[in-house]
Amino acid sequence: MQDLNIESDLIQTIIWLYNQTKIQVGDQEIGLGTGVIQGGVLSPTLFLIMFNDLICELTESGIDSYAYADDLAENGFTKEKLLKAIDIVERWAENNKMKINKKKSGVIFHMKKAKKKRSNTNSEVEGYPIKKEYKYLGITIDSCMNYEKHLELIEEKIKKGMKIINIMKWKKVNNWKLFHIWMTYIVPHFAYGGLIF
């Protein structure tokens, strides 16, 4: 944080906060030695500060990357760039004493819609599974950059929410409560990711 010219008082406050933080494991209370507080307001920002040098190295290597909180997506347009990105990320993780869960990670090859099959029949790249579709930040994307499956999932969620609203309407719940339920459970499905649809 000092390298990013963050004021020392703020750094000391964050250090104090993390020194006070404990996690419960069974009956035992343990201090938080590494990582960020799950659900903490500062956690996404702190993780991005830590991620910063990785993002810079990927960018300097000509690799587009997208990061939010603890999620990272890299865009390697060639096999060489993909392998370079994997090497950079794995080296960074090792240097920062982190372990990448390859089972929760994946590689997706983007192809033109007309192309039915990939010529490469491998099921993984450097231990990362090749997937036909991938869920990133809650949005499911397939290898043709198609969002149809995601939209089908949203449609199902909205249908369930509308059923609940209709039942409540039938039971004479007042319009003000129905409006709040609509705004809380239905509208977010339309809003999240709406820019890319």
Side-chain angles (χ1 to χ4, degrees):
M1 286 193 273
Q2 290 170 334
D3 294 343
L4 298 171
N5 296 323
I6 295 173
E7 292 181 23
S8 62
D9 287 349
L10 179 57
I11 295 171
Q12 291 307 311
T13 301
I14 293 168
I15 290 169
W16 176 85
L17 173 70
Y18 272 76
N19 284 336
Q20 307 308 309
T21 304
K22 309 279 187 233
I23 56 174
Q24 190 80 30
V25 180
D27 294 337
Q28 194 175 9
E29 205 174 74
I30 304 169
L32 185 66
T34 59
V36 294
I37 299 168
Q38 181 77 27
V41 175
L42 282 177
S43 297
T45 303
L46 291 174
F47 200 83
L48 286 175
I49 289 169
M50 187 168 178
F51 249 153
N52 190 50
D53 57 336
L54 172 61
I55 302 300
C56 289
E57 186 175 352
L58 288 166
T59 302
E60 288 165 7
S61 299
I63 299 161
D64 294 330
S65 56
Y66 312 93
Y68 181 78
D70 63 349
D71 286 313
L72 175 68
E74 302 153 17
N75 197 351
F77 288 102
T78 64
K79 184 178 180 180
E80 292 75 28
K81 279 196 175 183
L82 174 63
L83 293 174
K84 175 85 173 160
I86 289 171
D87 179 59
I88 291 169
V89 171
E90 287 183 344
R91 202 170 3 90
W92 179 88
E94 188 177 322
N95 291 341
N96 286 282
K97 297 176 178 74
M98 291 185 172
K99 185 171 168 75
I100 297 170
N101 186 341
K102 291 185 178 185
K103 290 179 183 175
K104 285 188 170 183
S105 304
V107 173
I108 186 167
F109 289 100
H110 300 292
M111 54 189 108
K112 294 181 181 170
K113 291 185 183 193
K115 214 174 184 182
K116 299 281 186 198
K117 271 185 164 178
R118 279 188 317 104
S119 56
N120 185 348
T121 57
N122 293 341
S123 62
E124 60 182 44
V125 175
E126 299 293 317
Y128 296 90
I130 296 173
K131 301 191 174 194
K132 292 179 182 172
E133 58 187 32
Y134 197 77
K135 191 172 189 177
Y136 181 67
L137 296 176
I139 298 175
T140 304
I141 305 166
D142 72 13
S143 60
C144 296
M145 292 301 288
N146 187 334
Y147 305 98
E148 282 180 32
K149 181 164 184 181
H150 181 72
L151 294 174
E152 288 169 8
L153 292 170
I154 288 175
E155 183 181 10
E156 284 303 308
K157 288 179 181 180
I158 290 171
K159 281 180 182 177
K160 286 179 185 175
M162 290 305 297
K163 267 186 192 173
I164 292 168
I165 288 175
N166 284 330
I167 290 168
M168 294 177 87
K169 188 176 177 183
W170 182 73
K171 293 195 176 212
K172 307 269 190 238
V173 172
N174 73 44
N175 287 339
W176 184 245
K177 287 182 182 174
L178 292 174
F179 173 76
H180 281 286
I181 292 168
W182 167 263
M183 293 302 291
T184 304
Y185 295 105
I186 306 297
V187 171
H189 292 298
F190 289 112
Y192 182 71
L195 287 175
I196 61 172
F197 306 126

